[in-house]
Structures are given as structure tokens and as C-alpha cells.
Amino acid sequence: MILVTGGAGFIGANFVLDWIAETGEPVLNLDALTYAGNLESLKSLQGDARHVFVKGDICDRGLLDRLFAEHRPRAVVHFAAESHVDRSIHGPGAFVKTNIEGTYTLLEAVRAHWSALPAGEKEVFRFHHVSTDEVYGSLKPNDPAFTEKNTYEPNSPYSASKAASDHLVRAWHHTYGLPVLTTNCSNNYGPYHFPEKLIPLMIVNALAGKPLPVYGDGMQVRDWLYVKDHASAIRAVLAKGRVGETYNVGGWNERPNIEIVRSVCALLDEMRPDPAGSYSRLITHVTDRPGHDRRYAIDARKIERELGWRPAETFETGIRKTVRWYLDNADWVAHVQSGSYRDWVATNYAAR
Ligand code: NAD
Ligand code: DAU
């Protein structure tokens, strides 16, 4: 089996569902179930012996040692993290704790497990670290897209904590020989995305007739990838990636935020028309994010060339599937909008 950390979050849950459907190999899913973890996203695996869920923290070394001894996973895919830039601005401590100390604790547990494996198992063992394009900093309008050779220039507490975790993973390979793989991916979107992030927040707010808060001028550019394409990229890297290498993963879909919001409004106008008029009437420009990175773009040629991976979805096909999913899964959406979600919305938007 493989051990997945953070498999109840947005990308982790999509990955676990995809992995079991595509490979049939069992998953040991370790997740602390923070505000971002949601077992409802994994409901379709209830009663499936190939999914073993453990509620626990990657900072808990004793738990990690017990899990490795009992389950002897052949690989680890590490998603668990604090992932929201705005939350990192309001409270960076949790990001340092989970993203840096948690990754360090996990690396040490993995190293102890891996060092004691018999030669054959040791040879094929892999630690896959899931990271972000935000570690490279912000691009100017005409800069070339990020390659794996770009320098690290993280600007937010979130991206700095992810950059630190990338460096730890790199060092554990160079110093101890741990067989690691790292992927740095662009912005994901798709089913089970928590509505604190741009695309699901806009869908959920629009359907509730609430303002659609666009930070600043809305001309910040992100490179969007449908989440199932990220899952297939991780499968490809885990199977065929060269140990110690990093691979950038992206969808060749650079768009300014305002265009993303308008696309969401247009799809909702088509699929769930509002008698009051186009959802775009709700677009409201609000105070910008402090230190807001202007542009990210991924050069994904290395993973395409070396591993033959390509995204299956364009932005047009992926965003249509995503909006449809939110319309068809109103229960999931209602359940994630708990009291703590409402508190976060008040914290982040009330003073903007
Ligand atoms: P998410 O916030 O939706 O999910 C994170 C998951 O980790 C949650 O289930 C949470 O309960 C769990 N978790 C948090 N702290 C934990 C801890 N201490 N121990 C165990 N579990 C813990 O995040 P996501 O958007 O699914 O991102 C997953 C990973 O992918 C992160 O490492 C993130 O940096 C990276 N990434 C995300 C994106 C994106 O667009 N969302 C893009 C590139 C890379
Ligand atoms: O690039 C990969 C990263 O993408 C991941 O590493 C992060 O985990 C993930 O959260 C995401 O970070 P962003 O900050 O780019 O995503 P977010 O959805 O928060 O914001 C996308 C853009 O939309 C960003 O420019 C800020 C803007 N935005 C966001 C929100 C929540 C708004 O204009 N209004 C909003 O209300």
C-alpha cells in the first residue's frame, strides 16, 4: 500500500479517489481533519477495504512510527499542509508548524523506516513531496514561465513555509540518500475544493446572491490545472520520475482572476439563470491581498518530455465540469459552510 498524508483535503481526496480507481492499490490515509479536511469527500470509499483512514497529525512521531511498522507502505505521497495564503497572512504559526515541522517529522520517520528496509524494498521505496509554484515568487508580465531551475523567492508566509519544506526534502535526499520526488504545481480547481479559495468561493457566493470579492484590480494571473490532471501527474512521477528530481506541473492555462470570475458567472448564467440578472452584477473589487503575487506560470515541458504526461482538460472543459459539480453537490457545499467557515469569511472579508 501507499501512505497518503492530507488525503481528506481538496487535492488529497481527489488523488485518493483517482489512485484507487486507476490502480486498485490500497491507501493508508493520514489526516488531522483540520477545518480543511473532510471525510464527506471520501464517502464513496465507505466500506472499501482499500481505503484505511487514520485521524492523526504529521507532527506526531510516535504515531508515524507505529503506522510505518504496522502497514509498511512502499511509498509516501505527502499532501498534508496548511494551504491558504490569506490564512497564512492572518496566522502564520500553523503554517510553520505543519508545513515545516510536520514535514521534518515525517521525513525523519520515513528515514527510520526506509533505512531498516531489506535491500529490494529499499530500492523501490519513494517519498513524493507535493509542493507549489508559489515557491518561485512572482513573474513580470513578459517573464518566461517557471522552470525547475528558477530560484526560490517565496513571498507569503504560506509559500515561505512550503519553500522550507522543499529544502528539507532536498537535503534529506542529498545527505541521507532518501529516495525523494518533488512536484511543484500551479493552482488546482475542481470537485471538493473548499470555498475559501477563488473558484469555489465565487460559485458559492454567486448562488447565495452575495458579492464576488475580487482582490485589487483582478489582473493577477494564475495558471489553472484541473485537479484530476494533478492526480495523474503525481501517479506518473511516482511511477517513472527520476529520484531526487523536481517536476513542475501546470495546465498551460494562464488567466487573470477577473476573467476566471467572469467565466464562472457566464457558466452559472447558462446552467442556473438568476431572474435578477447576470451573476456578474455581483462582482465587487475589494482591498488587495498584502504582498499579492502578480503572476504565476508553469513551464511543464520537463514532465511532458521525460514522463509523457499531459493534462487531459482545457480550462473550458474543466471549469464546466467544476461548476456542474457544485450545482449537483449542494449537500457537500452546505455541510462545509459551518460556523468556523462563517468566522473565517468575517475575518478575511469584513474589513476589506
Ligand atoms: P487543503 O488545505 O485542502 O488540505 C490539506 C489537508 O491536510 C487537510 O485535509 C488537512 O486536514 C490536512 N492537514 C493539515 N495539517 C495537518 C497535519 N498537521 N497533519 C495531518 N494532516 C493535516 O490543501 P490542498 O489544496 O488539497 O493542497 C494539498 C497540498 O498540495 C498542499 O501541500 C499544498 O501546498 C499543495 N498544493 C496545492 C495547490 C492548490 O491549488 N490547492 C497547488 C499546488 C500545490
Ligand atoms: O499556485 C498554487 C497555489 O494556489 C497553492 O499552492 C495554494 O495552496 C492555493 O491556495 C493557491 O494559492 P492562491 O493564493 O493563488 O489561490 P486563491 O484561490 O486563494 O487565490 C487565487 C487568486 O484569486 C489570487 O490571486 C487571489 C485572488 N482572490 C482570492 C480570493 C479567495 C480574490 O481575488 N478574491 C478572493 O476572495
Side-chain angles (χ1 to χ4, degrees):
M1 63 160 41
I2 62 165
L3 168 61
V4 170
T5 71
F10 162 50
I11 305 175
N14 277 287
F15 175 81
V16 168
L17 292 168
D18 173 88
W19 179 268
I20 290 177
E22 292 293 326
T23 72
E25 186 176 5
V27 170
L28 173 62
N29 184 353
L30 172 65
D31 193 298
L33 295 181
T34 67
Y35 80 92
N38 185 355
L39 286 178
E40 259 193 73
S41 308
L42 296 161
K43 219 161 66 180
S44 61
L45 292 174
Q46 248 169 24
D48 189 326
R50 295 171 300 178
H51 181 234
V52 179
F53 182 79
V54 176
K55 181 173 188 285
D57 195 319
I58 56 166
C59 297
D60 182 345
R61 176 65 194 269
L63 171 65
L64 292 172
D65 287 346
R66 287 196 297 282
L67 291 177
F68 279 111
E70 188 182 339
H71 297 278
R72 301 180 64 78
R74 69 166 182 91
V76 175
V77 185
H78 176 36
F79 294 95
E82 289 292 335
S83 70
H84 190 31
V85 173
D86 292 319
R87 286 189 194 250
S88 82
I89 295 167
H90 287 275
F95 290 71
V96 171
K97 179 86 183 157
T98 285
N99 300 1
I100 305 178
E101 190 185 326
T103 301
Y104 156 73
T105 309
L106 182 62
L107 281 167
E108 280 295 80
V110 170
R111 183 163 76 91
H113 167 71
W114 171 76
S115 305
L117 287 175
E121 287 177 48
K122 201 170 175 184
E123 179 71 17
V124 296
F125 186 88
R126 296 288 182 269
F127 178 86
H128 186 129
H129 178 55
V130 180
S131 193
T132 170
D133 59 1
E134 300 203 8
V135 298
Y136 299 123
S138 185
L139 291 169
K140 302 223 161 31
N142 296 318
D143 283 348
F146 300 127
T147 72
E148 292 78 3
K149 294 200 175 351
N150 270 73
T151 51
Y152 271 39
E153 293 178 3
N155 291 318
S156 71
Y158 163 69
S159 54
S161 68
K162 290 296 291 187
S165 69
D166 292 11
H167 290 321
L168 292 174
V169 171
R170 179 188 158 88
W172 261 241
H173 172 65
H174 281 267
T175 304
Y176 305 113
L178 198 70
V180 307
L181 299 155
T182 297
T183 41
N184 292 88
C185 188
S186 62
N187 285 62
N188 285 214
Y189 67 99
Y192 307 113
H193 205 181
F194 192 72
E196 63 183 356
K197 308 282 171 64
L198 180 73
I199 289 178
L201 182 96
M202 294 299 159
I203 299 173
V204 165
N205 277 18
L207 291 173
K210 293 183 180 161
L212 307 181
V214 171
Y215 296 165
D217 63 3
M219 290 307 291
Q220 306 84 1
V221 171
R222 298 291 182 267
D223 181 350
W224 295 92
L225 181 71
Y226 191 61
V227 64
K228 288 182 199 305
D229 283 326
H230 190 182
S232 74
I234 293 171
R235 268 195 284 112
V237 172
L238 196 54
K240 300 179 281 186
R242 286 186 290 133
V243 166
E245 292 290 314
T246 68
Y247 294 88
N248 282 358
V249 182
W252 305 105
N253 278 309
E254 274 189 68
R255 313 263 159 144
N257 293 337
I258 188 70
E259 200 182 295
I260 297 290
V261 178
R262 289 204 186 105
S263 306
V264 167
C265 291
L267 283 167
L268 286 172
D269 287 341
E270 176 196 320
M271 295 181 193
R272 180 74 54 86
D274 183 346
S278 171
Y279 290 99
S280 57
R281 75 186 190 283
L282 299 171
I283 293 175
T284 311
H285 289 264
V286 299
T287 308
D288 209 348
R289 174 186 277 175
H292 200 169
D293 285 339
R294 199 68 184 162
R295 175 178 166 236
Y296 306 138
I298 281 280
D299 181 335
R301 281 178 295 181
K302 179 177 174 185
I303 186 173
E304 293 177 1
R305 191 177 61 243
E306 289 192 11
L307 308 182
W309 174 84
R310 289 283 307 181
E313 303 291 344
T314 62
F315 186 72
E316 283 66 32
T317 58
I319 193 69
R320 182 169 281 278
K321 285 183 182 176
T322 303
V323 172
R324 186 74 264 159
W325 187 88
Y326 278 86
L327 290 173
D328 291 346
N329 289 274
D331 281 354
W332 184 93
V333 174
H335 295 167
V336 296
Q337 291 176 289
S338 63
S340 73
Y341 175 73
R342 290 194 294 275
D343 290 346
W344 163 250
V345 170
T347 304
N348 194 40
Y349 296 97
R352 278 204 135 92

